[in-house]
Amino acid sequence: DTGVSQNPRHKITKRGQNVTFRCDPISEHNRLYWYRQTLGQGPEFLTYFQNEAQLEKSRLLSDRFSAERPKGSFSTLEIQRTEQGDSAMYLCASSLFKTGVDTQYFGPGTRLTVL
Amino acid sequence: GESVGLHLPTLSVQEGDNSIINCAYSNSASDYFIWYKQESGKGPQFIIDIRSNMDKRQGQRVTVLLNKTVKHLSLQIAATQPGDSAVYFCAEGGGTSYGKLTFGQGTILTVHP
């Protein structure tokens, strides 16, 4: 399978614990995006990388959230001191950005439940 | 964006009918628009995209229409099949928001055999 992959697919944690999610983009895609989706809503942008550089972060991304893409390939999203409001589907997408074209392909998501 | 809760617009059609799903976008500076299909428990799946210098683009069984004057986007699905049942989202990007996509509310499409 050459699509975007995410692990784990499901995560249940207790409030106050830290969690980390991983995203592996489509090979050779230079951009990687994180979104969050709650029930009944469209995905909301969190942050994105072009190669190793984090180019933009949403105001939704509080200081408890951190994302990295150290070698310009896979990325991790860490949430520290989880809260019940963090329960959501966390989606990763990747794209091969060229001038004027930035089609984003999504992974299956990681569903986080904070008890 | 504002929360609209769980009350997504719905569209019910019979198998073989044509479906039209509409979307109003918010940013007049957006120059790139995408339609995604999302099935339960899965990530959004790319369907078709269109740039602002076009007003129509066709794919396999799908057509996207863009009306920049009224900031409206539509997705037409020909000969709708039960496998087309899903939530459909439009998304806008580009312009001053290059990189991130802003998603619309979503429409639930149900196709009855």
Side-chain angles (χ1 to χ4, degrees):
Chain A
D1 189 338
T2 57
V4 177
S5 62
Q6 293 187 244
N7 288 287
R9 295 292 311 278
H10 303 273
K11 178 70 176 178
I12 300 174
T13 191
K14 293 182 179 179
R15 188 174 49 188
Q17 298 294 304
N18 299 342
V19 295
T20 300
F21 309 140
R22 176 175 170 131
C23 172
D24 287 89
I26 294 171
S27 179
E28 298 182 357
H29 275 193
N30 54 0
R31 284 193 170 181
L32 186 148
Y33 302 80
W34 286 100
Y35 291 81
R36 181 171 66 188
Q37 185 177 28
T38 54
L39 189 63
Q41 302 291 317
E44 292 180 295
F45 170 80
L46 293 178
T47 188
Y48 86 98
F49 295 83
Q50 181 158 315
N51 300 314
E52 303 90 352
Q54 189 171 17
L55 296 188
E56 187 174 352
K57 293 192 293 185
S58 165
R59 289 171 297 179
L60 293 175
L61 211 66
S62 77
D63 57 5
R64 296 185 298 106
F65 288 70
S66 62
E68 295 183 342
R69 195 184 184 199
K71 298 182 180 179
S73 57
F74 74 91
S75 175
T76 57
L77 177 68
E78 181 183 17
I79 309 174
Q80 296 182 327
R81 304 181 303 281
T82 52
E83 301 173 355
Q84 288 184 326
D86 297 330
S87 294
M89 175 78 87
Y90 289 84
L91 293 163
C92 176
S94 72
S95 70
L96 180 59
F97 175 69
K98 301 178 183 178
T99 302
V101 178
D102 194 21
T103 303
Q104 296 179 32
Y105 298 92
F106 282 82
T110 295
R111 180 166 296 285
L112 173 66
T113 302
V114 182
L115 301 177
Chain B
E2 293 187 11
S3 171
V4 293
L6 300 177
H7 303 291
L8 295 178
T10 60
L11 175 64
S12 291
V13 300
Q14 291 297 125
E15 181 177 3
D17 286 351
N18 297 332
S19 301
I20 299 177
I21 300 171
N22 297 301
C23 174
Y25 65 91
S26 57
N27 187 351
S28 57
S30 295
D31 62 5
Y32 179 57
F33 304 89
I34 312 178
W35 281 99
Y36 286 95
K37 171 188 180 184
Q38 189 172 28
E39 297 173 283
S40 182
K42 297 184 178 180
Q45 176 188 351
F46 173 83
I47 301 174
I48 191 168
D49 57 4
I50 189 168
R51 299 203 59 82
S52 60
N53 60 354
M54 304 172 68
D55 53 20
K56 180 179 181 178
R57 191 169 185 214
Q58 289 184 292
Q60 186 177 14
R61 284 201 305 119
V62 295
T63 300
V64 55
L65 299 178
L66 174 63
N67 185 329
K68 296 181 288 294
T69 302
V70 295
K71 294 192 288 186
H72 183 268
L73 195 66
S74 68
L75 177 69
Q76 300 177 0
I77 305 174
T80 317
Q81 303 167 359
D84 295 327
S85 295
V87 180
Y88 288 80
F89 290 99
C90 65
E92 58 183 299
T96 57
S97 309
Y98 237 118
K100 73 178 185 182
L101 293 175
T102 300
F103 282 77
Q105 181 182 26
T107 297
I108 300 172
L109 174 65
T110 303
V111 182
H112 300 283

